[in-house]
């Protein structure tokens, strides 16, 4: 704790302030561009950290990480295209608000939720790092399989038509099994080397979510009603801040959920956002209005996914276990500094790590300042005619898909998924369960195979307390909404 308090006197030096503003700016900009995430920003900046002191490198990379988590929410609200998987659910309520001319307000809600979620994540990172990280050591293949099942259990509640939602989720899980399994079996590639690692997430995300909306926008003159009132500018964004502050209980609960999920290895911000949304839908009085454009939907996702940062960093610094692509990149930066990854990481470099924790608190306020400016200007996108907007978005999405692996195959795959997504939208099949199935299907498949190899009988896993708790929680997530609907009827 002493190192943490002393860290503020160090972090407020101009050098670190410069790196925090620079890092958050890079994260916000890359997060706003479909296909270019904060993880990519960390990867691009990694070589530049080689000659930096360890604290400077950590502050800079953590700033990119912080900015990237919120940056994806801007495009999710404005053009129905999340900048990363962490912001997938934000668009369910953010984009409908934008279509009603409340884009500035929606961005304000997302920004304030991100800042509060990040601050709560930082508090838990500070006080509960060691206990939470020790918990993650108990997660083996069986526990990780149940984490994936727990995430998939909210598929039925992501759309009004439960049956269509389940079908879409199963299609996503099927796509997730394409590629080489953990046993070395190749499935569904049809001899294509680009599918050996499975369906790439970036082209799938852009294709299924962005392309159908681009096609719809092409048939309109403006994104919203030309005669309607548009909430733009700083005043609109500040009105969104007030909406978040009116809901302190939901903000705190979703943040706590995000921290817990962040601790789970490989669960990530996407699962945290999804679970935060699903649980809020069951807890809130206006749960039946989720997906129509209400503040609670944005708050649920953005607080949970930003708070998960604290949990993920706890496992990284205490155990040397990266919980996501971004934290894996940061671990690479520490290795470049000569640090040895593993449980001794926190013991050997406690002073530097606690000072980095100090910078995380400051980064949230840096993001608030820069995000406010970004949101105020981004809200004016609704006033741009679609004949100029659609070609620009299309070029950015194609570039984002191509830059994923620098191959035109991914750009073609994005267009194919765009056609499938458009057809699903016309047939009123929800897209979000498909994305969730694709995201968690591969994890569930790999961990199930490892579980079967590790135990004589599959049912033995239910003797493990964490597996049992997650199984009960999954059943509650499936049948809870059904019982709630029957009671209302």
């Amino acid at each position: 704790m002493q190192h943490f308090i002393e860290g503020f006197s160090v972090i407020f030096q101009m050098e670190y302030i410069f790196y925090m503003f620079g890092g958050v700016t890079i994260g916000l900009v890359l997060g706003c561009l479909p296909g270019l995430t904060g993880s990519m920003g960390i990867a691009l900046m990694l070589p530049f950290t080689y000659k930096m002191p360890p604290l400077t490198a950590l502050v800079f990379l953590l700033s990119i990480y912080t900015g990237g988590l919120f940056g994806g929410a801007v495009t999710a609200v404005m053009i129905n295209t999340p900048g990363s998987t962490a912001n997938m659910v934000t668009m369910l309520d953010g984009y409908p608000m934008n279509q009603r001319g409340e884009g500035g307000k929606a961005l304000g809600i997302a920004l304030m939720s991100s800042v509060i979620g990040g601050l709560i994540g930082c508090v838990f990172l500070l006080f509960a790092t060691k206990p939470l990280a020790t918990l993650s050591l108990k997660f083996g293949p069986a526990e990780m399989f149940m984490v994936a099942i727990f995430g998939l259990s909210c598929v039925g509640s992501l759309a009004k038509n439960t049956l269509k939602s389940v079908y879409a989720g199963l299609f996503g899980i099927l796509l997730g099994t394409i590629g080489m399994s953990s046993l070395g079996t190749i499935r569904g590639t049809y001899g294509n080397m680009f599918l050996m690692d499975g369906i790439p997430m970036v082209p799938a995300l852009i294709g299924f979510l962005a392309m159908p909306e681009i096609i719809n926008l092409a048939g309109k003159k403006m994104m919203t009603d030309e005669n309607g009132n548009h909430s733009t500018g700083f005043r609109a964004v500040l009105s969104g801040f007030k909406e978040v502050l009116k809901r302190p209980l939901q903000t705190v609960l979703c943040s706590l959920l995000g921290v817990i999920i962040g601790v789970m290895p490989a669960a990530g911000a996407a699962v945290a956002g999804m679970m935060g949304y699903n649980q809020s839908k069951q807890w809130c009085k206006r749960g039946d209005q989720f997906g129509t454009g209400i503040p609670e939907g944005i708050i649920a996702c953005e607080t949970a996914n930003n708070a998960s940062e604290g949990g993920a960093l706890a496992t990284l610094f205490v155990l040397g276990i990266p919980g996501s692509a971004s934290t894996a990149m940061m671990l690479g930066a520490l290795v470049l500094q000569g640090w040895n990854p593993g449980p001794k990481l926190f013991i050997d470099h406690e002073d530097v790590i606690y000072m980095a924790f100090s910078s995380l608190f400051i980064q949230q306020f840096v993001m608030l300042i820069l995000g406010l400016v970004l949101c105020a200007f981004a809200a004016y996108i609704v006033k741009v005619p679609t004949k100029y907007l659609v070609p620009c978005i299309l070029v950015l999405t194609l570039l984002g898909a191509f830059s994923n692996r620098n191959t035109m195959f991914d750009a073609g795959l994005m267009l194919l998924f765009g056609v499938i997504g458009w057809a699903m939208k016309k047939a009123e099949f929800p897209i979000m369960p498909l994305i969730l199935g694709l995201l968690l299907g591969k994890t569930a498949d790999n961990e199930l195979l490892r579980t079967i190899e590790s135990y004589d009988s599959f049912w033995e896993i239910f003797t493990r307390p964490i597996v049992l708790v997650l199984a009960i929680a999954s059943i509650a997530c499936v049948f809870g909404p059904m019982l709630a609907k029957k009671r209302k009827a």
Side-chain angles (χ1 to χ4, degrees), residues 299-487:
I299 293 168
C301 177
E302 288 302 314
T303 49
N305 65 27
N306 279 268
S308 70
E309 176 186 13
L313 290 174
T315 56
L316 172 70
F317 288 127
V318 176
L319 302 173
I321 300 172
S324 63
S326 298
T327 50
M329 298 287 182
M330 276 188 274
L331 185 61
L334 297 179
V335 172
L336 286 176
Q337 297 289 338
W339 292 15
N340 295 317
K344 288 190 72 180
L345 190 71
F346 192 81
I347 298 167
D348 295 340
H349 308 281
E350 186 177 355
D351 55 340
V352 176
I353 290 172
Y354 267 118
M355 287 181 186
F357 289 175
S358 304
S359 78
L360 275 172
F361 278 89
I362 309 303
Q363 286 165 29
Q364 305 305 320
F365 295 102
V366 171
M367 185 174 72
L368 182 65
I369 296 166
L370 295 176
L372 180 60
V373 177
L374 175 65
C375 291
F377 287 102
Y380 285 98
I381 289 175
V382 296
K383 296 185 177 181
V384 180
T386 54
K387 64 180 180 180
Y388 303 119
L389 194 62
V390 168
C392 292
I393 296 171
L394 191 57
V395 170
L396 286 173
T397 52
L398 285 168
L399 283 173
F402 173 79
S403 65
N404 181 51
R405 296 186 295 183
N406 295 323
T407 169
M408 285 304 296
F409 176 81
D410 285 356
L413 200 62
M414 183 205 75
L415 293 173
L416 173 63
F417 287 148
V419 173
I420 296 172
W422 178 79
M424 287 180 67
K425 202 167 184 179
K426 284 291 181 184
E428 296 183 349
F429 275 88
I431 302 292
M432 199 53 63
L434 186 154
I435 297 295
L436 183 61
L438 179 60
L439 184 69
L440 295 177
K442 190 175 182 67
T443 302
D445 177 50
N446 290 338
E447 298 301 339
L448 176 61
L449 291 173
R450 292 191 184 103
T451 301
I452 291 169
E453 286 182 328
S454 304
Y455 295 88
D456 294 327
S457 169
F458 174 77
W459 302 108
E460 282 184 39
I461 69 171
F462 293 101
T463 60
R464 298 176 68 89
I466 296 175
V467 172
L468 197 59
V469 169
L470 289 171
I472 293 169
S474 300
I475 292 168
C477 283
V478 172
F479 293 103
M482 294 181 185
L483 293 172
K485 284 180 182 178
K486 283 187 177 180
R487 284 179 182 177

Side-chain angles (χ1 to χ4, degrees), residues 134-145:
T134 305
L135 175 68
S136 70
L137 280 177
K138 298 180 181 179
F139 277 72
E143 284 79 11
M144 286 313 302
F145 171 68

Side-chain angles (χ1 to χ4, degrees), residues 170-345:
L170 290 172
F171 180 49
I173 293 171
L174 184 65
L175 290 177
T177 60
I178 291 174
M180 186 180 290
S181 72
S182 58
L183 298 178
T185 307
I186 298 171
R187 301 168 297 188
T189 63
Y190 295 98
N192 192 311
M193 61 175 287
F194 294 111
L195 293 175
M196 290 287 283
D197 288 332
I199 298 290
M201 198 63 203
V202 170
L205 198 66
I206 296 173
F208 282 122
L209 298 176
M211 290 303 294
E213 196 55 43
I214 291 171
I215 294 169
N216 287 340
L217 282 177
K220 299 179 180 178
K221 287 185 178 181
M222 300 292 289
M223 285 184 71
T224 58
D225 181 14
E226 294 179 61
N227 299 318
N229 294 319
H230 305 301
S231 67
T232 54
F234 289 103
R235 186 173 295 179
V237 178
L238 292 173
S239 70
F241 287 6
K242 293 177 184 177
E243 291 292 336
V244 180
L245 298 175
K246 287 177 184 176
R247 297 166 176 84
L249 183 61
Q250 185 197 6
T251 304
V252 172
L253 289 176
C254 288
S255 298
L256 296 180
L257 180 63
V259 170
I260 294 166
I261 292 173
V263 172
M264 299 177 186
V271 177
M274 191 73 70
M275 294 310 301
Y277 187 87
N278 184 57
Q279 295 306 313
S280 291
K281 192 173 182 179
Q282 296 180 36
W283 295 335
C284 291
K285 293 180 181 178
R286 298 200 293 171
D288 57 334
Q289 295 179 39
F290 271 57
T292 61
I294 60 172
E296 288 91 334
I298 303 173
I299 293 168
C301 177
E302 288 302 314
T303 49
N305 65 27
N306 279 268
S308 70
E309 176 186 13
L313 290 174
T315 56
L316 172 70
F317 288 127
V318 176
L319 302 173
I321 300 172
S324 63
S326 298
T327 50
M329 298 287 182
M330 276 188 274
L331 185 61
L334 297 179
V335 172
L336 286 176
Q337 297 289 338
W339 292 15
N340 295 317
K344 288 190 72 180
L345 190 71

